[in-house]
């Protein structure tokens, strides 16, 4: 019995454009709700949301019944963190702050079993292998793991060609907020210089045969990114959806008393 098929990875291989949303509320109930909304993929954020291994596990569990594919963003590209989220059942991982080819090569090794990688072999105990029921997990898992790396600095852009040349990386995500800050435009990812850098990088990633990714909550930027070659496109975040909608509702009714 082989490892479960990864539909997200297959969609990227097939050149499809898939739309996603960020999950930052770190709660199973809201994650389950978002899983019913119709997104192709959802990011369980371990970098900027108050998630730990157990809360990530719980959200993976509630999304199993969902048509939305879970993507787990780890806080940093550490071998032990990747080992833990993969064993918990994540098949697609997103790793922030990848600046060079050496980092990227090690990440490929981190998500790959020996003899080609360094992922620890203890799958008989794991949720990923259905607690030893998937007897062929060790020999079939690598093909279903999807590794996405984030390039979000000037240094990362300078090294993008070398990163793209590495086998085992399925997609490269351009991080607009961090890139804007590194370029001297904190909080302004829409600055023309930042937009030029983003769209150029997306085009380069797409031309390499790897999938290009982006997060954008501005329709015009989203459309430009898709035209530039973005294929896994996040268009919102649960925190922002709740916060902005709540603020607008409160304002609407407060304004009726003025």
């Amino acid at each position: 019995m082989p490892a479960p098929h990864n539909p997200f990875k297959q969609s990227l291989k097939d050149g499809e454009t898939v739309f996603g949303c960020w999950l930052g509320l770190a709660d199973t109930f809201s994650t389950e709700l978002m899983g019913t909304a119709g997104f192709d993929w959802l990011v369980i954020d371990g970098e900027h949301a108050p998630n730990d291994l157990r809360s990530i596990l719980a959200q993976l569990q509630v999304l199993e019944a969902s048509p939305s594919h879970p993507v787990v963003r780890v806080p940093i590209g550490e071998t032990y963190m990747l080992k833990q989220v993969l064993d918990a059942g994540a098949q697609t991982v997103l790793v922030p702050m990848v600046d060079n080819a050496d980092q990227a090569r090690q990440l490929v090794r981190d998500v790959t079993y020996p003899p080609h990688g360094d992922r620890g072999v203890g799958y008989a105990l794991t949720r990923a292998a259905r607690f030893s029921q998937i007897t062929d997990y060790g020999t079939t898992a690598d093909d279903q793991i999807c590794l996405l790396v984030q390039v979000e600095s000037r240094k990362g852009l300078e090294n993008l060609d070398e990163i793209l040349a590495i086998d085992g990386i399925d997609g490269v995500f351009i991080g607009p907020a961090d890139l804007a800050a590194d370029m001297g435009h904190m909080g302004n990812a829409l600055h023309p210089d930042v937009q030029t850098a983003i769209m150029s990088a997306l085009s380069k990633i797409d031309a390499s045969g790897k999938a290009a990714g982006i997060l954008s909550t501005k329709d015009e930027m989203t459309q430009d990114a898709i035209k530039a070659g973005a294929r896994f496109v996040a268009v919102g975040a649960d925190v922002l959806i709740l916060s902005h909608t709540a603020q607008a509702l409160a304002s609407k009714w407060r304004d009726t008393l003025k």
Side-chain angles (χ1 to χ4, degrees):
M1 183 178 177
H5 176 67
N6 184 333
F8 178 85
K9 182 171 182 173
Q10 187 64 54
S11 292
L12 297 188
K13 279 185 178 179
D14 293 343
E16 298 176 13
T17 301
V18 287
F19 293 101
C21 193
W22 237 251
L23 302 180
L25 291 171
D27 183 83
T28 54
F29 199 66
S30 58
T31 292
E32 187 174 22
L33 181 154
M34 293 297 290
T36 70
F39 290 105
D40 298 308
W41 54 286
L42 295 167
V43 175
I44 303 170
D45 190 4
E47 184 185 16
H48 293 302
N51 276 307
D52 58 16
L53 179 61
R54 286 188 175 273
S55 68
I56 289 170
L57 166 62
Q59 288 170 86
L60 287 170
Q61 289 171 324
V62 300
L63 286 177
E64 188 162 357
S66 162
S68 299
H69 180 78
V71 176
V72 174
R73 179 161 74 168
V74 291
I76 191 171
E78 287 286 351
T79 301
Y80 82 91
M81 290 183 183
L82 288 162
K83 181 190 303 186
Q84 288 182 321
V85 298
L86 291 176
D87 283 354
Q91 286 189 295
T92 302
V93 291
L94 177 62
V95 182
M97 300 292 184
V98 176
D99 288 333
N100 58 63
D102 288 340
Q103 281 180 281
R105 284 191 198 92
Q106 184 57 51
L107 293 172
V108 173
R109 293 191 62 84
D110 289 341
V111 302
T112 305
Y113 279 127
H116 305 296
D118 300 327
R119 184 180 174 188
V121 183
Y123 57 83
L125 306 178
T126 70
R127 180 175 181 269
R130 294 293 186 269
F131 312 105
S132 80
Q133 294 181 55
I134 302 177
T135 53
D136 297 330
Y137 184 84
T139 55
T140 60
D142 289 352
D143 288 340
Q144 301 305 325
I145 299 300
C146 183
L147 174 61
L148 310 173
V149 301
Q150 289 186 226
V151 170
E152 43 194 341
S153 68
R154 288 172 295 171
K155 184 183 294 184
L157 291 183
E158 289 169 6
N159 295 322
L160 183 56
D161 287 332
E162 293 179 9
I163 293 170
L164 290 171
I166 297 170
D167 289 335
I169 293 174
D170 298 287
V172 178
F173 178 96
I174 301 299
D178 283 285
L179 180 59
D182 195 45
M183 292 178 67
H185 303 291
M186 173 68 78
N188 186 15
L190 296 179
H191 188 282
D193 291 347
V194 180
Q195 286 293 296
T196 297
I198 290 172
M199 301 309 160
S200 175
L202 292 174
S203 295
K204 181 178 287 190
I205 297 162
D206 184 52
S208 76
K210 298 191 188 299
I214 195 75
L215 165 63
S216 168
T217 60
K218 304 296 183 183
D219 289 353
E220 184 176 353
M221 177 178 166
T222 303
Q223 291 163 356
D224 287 345
I226 293 170
K227 290 176 185 176
R231 292 294 169 263
F232 59 106
V233 183
V235 293
D238 58 357
V239 174
L240 299 179
I241 293 168
L242 176 59
S243 175
H244 292 173
T245 304
Q247 290 170 39
L249 184 61
S251 266
K252 171 185 171 181
W253 289 104
R254 280 201 315 268
D255 290 347
T256 65
L257 301 178
K258 291 179 180 178

